[in-house]
Coordinates of all heavy atoms in Angstrom, one line a residue:
Chain B
L31 N 165.5 71.3 -78.7 CA 165.2 72.6 -79.1 C 166.1 73.7 -78.4 O 166.2 73.6 -77.2 CB 163.8 73.1 -78.9 CG 163.4 74.5 -79.0 CD1 163.4 74.9 -80.5 CD2 162.1 74.8 -78.5
I33 N 166.2 78.0 -78.8 CA 166.1 79.2 -79.5 C 166.9 80.4 -78.8 O 166.7 80.5 -77.6 CB 164.5 79.6 -79.4 CG1 163.7 78.6 -80.2 CG2 164.4 81.0 -80.0 CD1 162.2 78.8 -80.1
W47 N 160.0 84.6 -71.6 CA 159.5 83.8 -72.8 C 158.1 83.7 -72.9 O 157.3 83.2 -71.9 CB 160.1 82.4 -73.0 CG 161.7 82.4 -73.5 CD1 162.7 82.4 -72.6 CD2 162.1 82.7 -74.9 NE1 163.8 82.4 -73.5 CE2 163.5 82.6 -74.8 CE3 161.3 82.8 -76.0 CZ2 164.2 82.7 -75.9 CZ3 162.1 82.9 -77.2 CH2 163.5 82.9 -77.2
V49 N 154.7 82.5 -75.4 CA 154.5 81.7 -76.6 C 153.1 82.1 -77.2 O 152.1 82.5 -76.4 CB 154.4 80.2 -76.2 CG1 153.4 80.0 -75.0 CG2 154.1 79.3 -77.4
Y51 N 150.3 80.6 -79.9 CA 149.8 79.6 -80.7 C 148.9 80.2 -81.7 O 148.5 81.3 -81.6 CB 149.1 78.6 -80.0 CG 149.8 77.8 -78.9 CD1 149.8 78.3 -77.5 CD2 150.8 76.8 -79.2 CE1 150.5 77.6 -76.6 CE2 151.5 76.2 -78.3 CZ 151.4 76.5 -76.9 OH 152.2 75.9 -76.0
L59 N 155.3 81.9 -70.8 CA 155.8 80.4 -70.7 C 156.8 80.3 -69.5 O 156.6 79.4 -68.7 CB 156.8 80.2 -72.0 CG 157.2 78.7 -72.1 CD1 156.1 77.7 -72.1 CD2 158.1 78.6 -73.4
L60 N 157.7 81.1 -69.3 CA 158.5 81.2 -68.2 C 159.3 82.5 -68.0 O 159.2 83.4 -69.0 CB 159.7 80.1 -68.3 CG 160.5 80.1 -69.7 CD1 161.7 80.9 -69.4 CD2 161.0 78.6 -69.7
K68 N 167.0 80.3 -63.2 CA 166.4 79.4 -64.3 C 164.9 79.4 -64.2 O 164.3 79.0 -63.3 CB 167.0 78.0 -64.1 CG 166.5 77.0 -65.2 CD 166.9 75.6 -64.9 CE 168.4 75.3 -65.4 NZ 168.7 73.9 -65.3
G69 N 164.3 79.8 -65.3 CA 162.9 79.6 -65.4 C 162.5 78.3 -66.1 O 163.2 77.9 -67.0
S70 N 161.5 77.7 -65.7 CA 161.0 76.4 -66.4 C 159.6 76.2 -66.3 O 158.9 76.8 -65.3 CB 161.8 75.3 -65.7 OG 161.4 75.1 -64.4
N71 N 159.1 75.5 -67.4 CA 157.6 75.3 -67.5 C 157.4 74.3 -68.7 O 157.9 74.6 -69.7 CB 157.0 76.6 -67.7 CG 155.4 76.4 -67.7 OD1 154.9 75.5 -67.0 ND2 154.7 77.3 -68.2
K72 N 156.6 73.3 -68.4 CA 156.2 72.5 -69.5 C 157.3 71.9 -70.3 O 157.3 71.6 -71.5 CB 155.3 73.2 -70.5 CG 154.1 73.7 -69.9 CD 153.2 74.5 -71.1 CE 151.9 75.1 -70.4 NZ 151.0 75.8 -71.4
G73 N 158.4 71.7 -69.6 CA 159.6 71.0 -70.2 C 160.6 72.0 -70.8 O 161.7 71.6 -71.1
F74 N 160.2 73.3 -70.9 CA 161.0 74.4 -71.4 C 161.9 74.8 -70.3 O 161.4 75.0 -69.0 CB 160.2 75.5 -72.0 CG 159.5 75.1 -73.3 CD1 158.3 74.5 -73.3 CD2 160.2 75.3 -74.5 CE1 157.6 74.1 -74.4 CE2 159.5 74.9 -75.7 CZ 158.3 74.4 -75.6
E75 N 163.0 75.4 -70.6 CA 163.9 76.0 -69.6 C 164.7 77.1 -70.2 O 164.9 77.0 -71.4 CB 165.0 75.0 -69.0 CG 164.5 73.9 -68.2 CD 165.6 73.0 -67.7 OE1 166.7 73.0 -68.1 OE2 165.3 72.2 -66.7
A76 N 165.1 78.1 -69.4 CA 165.9 79.2 -69.9 C 166.6 79.7 -68.6 O 166.1 79.9 -67.6 CB 165.2 80.3 -70.6
L87 N 166.2 79.8 -74.9 CA 165.2 78.8 -74.5 C 165.5 77.4 -75.1 O 166.0 77.3 -76.2 CB 163.9 79.2 -75.2 CG 162.6 78.3 -74.9 CD1 162.1 78.5 -73.5 CD2 161.5 78.8 -75.9
E88 N 165.3 76.4 -74.2 CA 165.6 75.0 -74.5 C 164.5 74.0 -74.0 O 163.9 74.3 -73.1 CB 167.0 74.5 -73.7 CG 168.2 75.4 -74.2 CD 169.5 75.0 -73.5 OE1 169.3 74.2 -72.5 OE2 170.6 75.1 -74.1
K89 N 164.4 72.9 -74.9 CA 163.5 71.9 -74.5 C 164.2 70.6 -75.0 O 164.6 70.5 -76.1 CB 162.1 72.0 -75.0 CG 161.2 71.0 -74.5 CD 159.7 71.2 -75.0 CE 158.9 70.2 -74.3 NZ 157.4 70.3 -74.8
G90 N 164.2 69.6 -74.1 CA 164.9 68.4 -74.5 C 164.3 67.4 -75.6 O 164.9 66.8 -76.4
S91 N 162.9 67.5 -75.6 CA 162.2 66.7 -76.5 C 160.9 67.4 -77.0 O 159.9 67.5 -76.2 CB 161.9 65.5 -75.9 OG 161.1 64.5 -76.8
V92 N 160.9 68.0 -78.2 CA 159.8 68.8 -78.6 C 158.7 68.0 -79.1 O 158.8 66.8 -79.6 CB 160.1 69.9 -79.7 CG1 161.0 70.9 -79.1 CG2 160.8 69.1 -80.9
Q93 N 157.5 68.4 -79.0 CA 156.3 67.7 -79.5 C 155.6 68.6 -80.6 O 155.8 69.9 -80.7 CB 155.2 67.4 -78.3 CG 155.8 66.8 -77.1 CD 156.3 65.5 -77.5 OE1 155.6 64.7 -78.2 NE2 157.6 65.1 -77.1
S95 N 152.7 69.6 -80.7 CA 151.9 70.6 -80.1 C 152.6 71.8 -79.5 O 152.1 72.8 -79.2 CB 151.2 70.0 -78.8 OG 152.1 69.4 -77.9
D96 N 154.0 71.8 -79.7 CA 154.9 72.8 -79.4 C 155.0 74.0 -80.5 O 155.6 75.0 -80.2 CB 156.3 72.5 -78.9 CG 156.3 71.7 -77.6 OD1 155.4 72.0 -76.7 OD2 157.1 70.7 -77.4
S97 N 154.5 73.5 -81.6 CA 154.5 74.4 -82.8 C 153.8 75.7 -82.5 O 152.6 75.7 -82.1 CB 153.9 73.7 -84.1 OG 154.6 72.6 -84.3
Y100 N 157.5 81.9 -80.6 CA 158.0 82.2 -79.2 C 158.8 83.5 -79.2 O 159.6 83.8 -80.1 CB 159.1 81.0 -78.9 CG 158.4 79.7 -78.7 CD1 158.1 78.8 -79.9 CD2 158.1 79.2 -77.4 CE1 157.5 77.7 -79.5 CE2 157.4 78.0 -77.3 CZ 157.1 77.3 -78.4 OH 156.5 76.0 -78.2
L122 N 158.3 78.1 -84.5 CA 158.9 76.8 -84.4 C 157.9 75.9 -85.0 O 156.6 75.9 -84.7 CB 159.0 76.3 -82.9 CG 159.2 74.8 -82.5 CD1 160.5 74.4 -83.1 CD2 159.1 74.6 -80.9

Side-chain angles (χ1 to χ4, degrees):
Chain B
L31 168 71
I33 299 178
W47 277 100
V49 58
Y51 298 102
L59 182 59
L60 54 84
K68 177 186 283 188
S70 61
N71 185 27
K72 299 181 182 179
F74 291 90
E75 292 183 342
L87 182 68
E88 297 182 335
K89 186 175 185 182
S91 176
V92 293
Q93 305 300 311
S95 58
D96 293 328
S97 297
Y100 292 81
L122 170 65

